[in-house]
């Protein structure tokens, strides 16, 4: 699909229209935020923790290498900055809106699923002993030998939220979506063999993986928690990206579905075609992977000729 309208759909010209079409999606996002808050308030399931089970739960209680407040910066703010940069390059409000919407859905759906499982499973963290008994003196039920914690209630509550890792799932949800987004924008799968593009795509995933590793190093999570969190976040990110964008290996993988639909409707006469000067300065690279859905035998050079003829007619 030729980018004949590149630069003609900006926030000022089409922003309100695009947001209005997806108003229900933004309302669902608000609902997910409310659910996420509730899941963090309620008390998790307090799983039975016997005295003999404490052997594997006596790792030291220490601070987070990556604090909680840094996770939204890594999973949301960083991808958001990259998305904004591409908007200033392409001036396509469809891409901006769909990317932000997909990113927020990715992290919020992942957050809700993660915290719901945390509360339901109630798995103790590796440092649970020191959360439960900060003075190092264990107190257990005389018959069942279940723990009778003497520590702070808030600290104990967090101690029952080991599975899955929230840091990891959020990181893979946000940075995983960013990896998908970058792979489409820089055409990783254009069959030209540029390995440097793969390195760019894998960089966000490396950062997410290091976040997960830090959770094991800090003794806040078992390795199974991190593995499950990463798998969960990456799976949700993949579904959310493909909801708004074609697969990166698709010839139209550089643009969201909504943008391609607008161009298709314009070509079919369903809405007026908008062409400005910016549309005629599209880089030759953009036409190298072009195809017309309704006319597969028209090549990229034909598309350029059509644009030039239309511009000459407009000037005359």
């Amino acid at each position: 699909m030729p980018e004949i309208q590149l630069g003609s759909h900006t926030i000022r010209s089409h922003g309100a229209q695009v947001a209005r079409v997806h108003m229900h999606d933004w309302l669902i996002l608000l609902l997910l935020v409310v659910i996420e808050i509730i899941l963090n308030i309620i008390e998790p399931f307090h799983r039975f923790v016997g005295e003999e089970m404490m052997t594997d739960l006596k790792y030291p209680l220490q601070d987070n290498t990556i604090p909680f407040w840094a996770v939204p910066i890594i999973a949301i703010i960083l991808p958001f900055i990259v998305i904004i940069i591409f908007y200033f390059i392409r001036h396509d409000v469809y891409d901006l809106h769909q990317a932000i919407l997909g990113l927020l859905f990715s992290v919020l759906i992942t957050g809700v699923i993660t915290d719901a499982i945390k509360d339901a499973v109630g798995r103790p963290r590796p440092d649970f002993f020191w959360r439960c008994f900060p003075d190092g003196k264990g107190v257990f039920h005389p018959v069942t030998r279940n723990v009778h914690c003497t520590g702070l209630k808030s600290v104990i509550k967090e101690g029952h939220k080991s599975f899955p890792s929230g840091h990891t799932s959020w990181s893979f949800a946000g940075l995983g979506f960013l990896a998908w987004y970058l792979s489409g924008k820089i055409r990783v799968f254009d069959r030209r063999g540029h390995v440097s593009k793969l390195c760019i795509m894998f960089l966000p995933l490396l950062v997410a993986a290091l976040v997960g590793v830090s959770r094991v190093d800090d003794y806040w999570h078992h390795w199974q928690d991190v593995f499950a969190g990463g798998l969960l976040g990456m799976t949700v990110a993949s579904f959310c990206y493909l909801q708004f964008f074609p697969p990166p290996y698709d010839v139209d993988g550089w643009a969201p579905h909504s943008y391609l639909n607008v161009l298709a409707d314009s070509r079919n006469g369903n809405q007026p075609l908008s062409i400005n000067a910016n549309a005629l300065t599209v880089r030759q690279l953009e036409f190298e992977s072009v195809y017309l859905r309704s006319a597969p035998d028209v090549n990229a050079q034909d598309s350029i000729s059509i644009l030039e003829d239309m511009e000459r007619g407009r000037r005359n």
Side-chain angles (χ1 to χ4, degrees), residues 133-301:
F133 310 119
D135 57 0
K137 299 178 181 179
V139 181
F140 303 92
H141 189 278
V143 178
T144 63
R145 307 307 295 170
N146 190 23
V147 295
H148 281 182
C149 293
T150 58
L152 293 175
K153 186 177 180 180
S154 59
V155 178
I156 298 171
K157 177 182 177 180
E158 273 300 315
H160 284 280
K161 292 185 175 183
S162 185
F163 182 88
S165 168
H167 274 58
T168 309
S169 64
W170 268 60
S171 297
F172 270 94
L175 296 178
F177 185 92
L178 177 59
W180 278 97
Y181 183 79
L182 287 174
S183 63
K185 287 295 175 289
I186 64 178
R187 292 180 174 87
V188 172
F189 305 105
D190 59 1
R191 299 182 182 180
R192 297 186 180 183
H194 296 301
V195 181
S196 58
K197 293 184 177 182
L198 281 177
C199 295
I200 295 175
M201 185 195 74
F202 282 126
L203 182 59
L205 299 180
L206 174 61
V207 175
L210 291 177
V211 172
V213 171
S214 73
R215 305 307 289 160
V216 178
D217 292 344
D218 294 338
Y219 307 118
W220 277 63
H221 287 284
H222 309 273
W223 71 266
Q224 298 96 330
D225 309 332
V226 171
F227 180 81
L231 183 61
L232 172 62
M234 195 65 208
T235 300
V236 175
S238 301
F239 275 104
C240 288
Y241 179 83
L242 295 176
Q243 179 71 17
F244 295 100
F245 293 84
Y249 54 81
D250 192 280
V251 70
D252 284 336
W254 48 267
H257 292 299
S258 58
Y259 179 79
L260 298 172
N261 291 336
V262 168
L263 295 187
D265 290 341
S266 297
R267 291 188 62 259
N268 294 331
N270 295 334
Q271 66 183 54
L273 182 63
S274 172
I275 299 181
N276 59 16
N278 290 333
L280 299 175
T281 60
V282 179
R283 297 186 304 270
Q284 178 71 24
L285 178 61
E286 300 296 343
F287 290 98
E288 293 178 355
S289 61
V290 164
Y291 76 97
L292 299 176
R293 296 182 187 277
S294 59
D297 57 330
V298 180
N299 57 31
Q301 189 60 42

Side-chain angles (χ1 to χ4, degrees), residues 126-139:
D127 56 8
F128 183 78
F129 178 87
W130 296 104
R131 292 175 178 272
C132 189
F133 310 119
D135 57 0
K137 299 178 181 179
V139 181

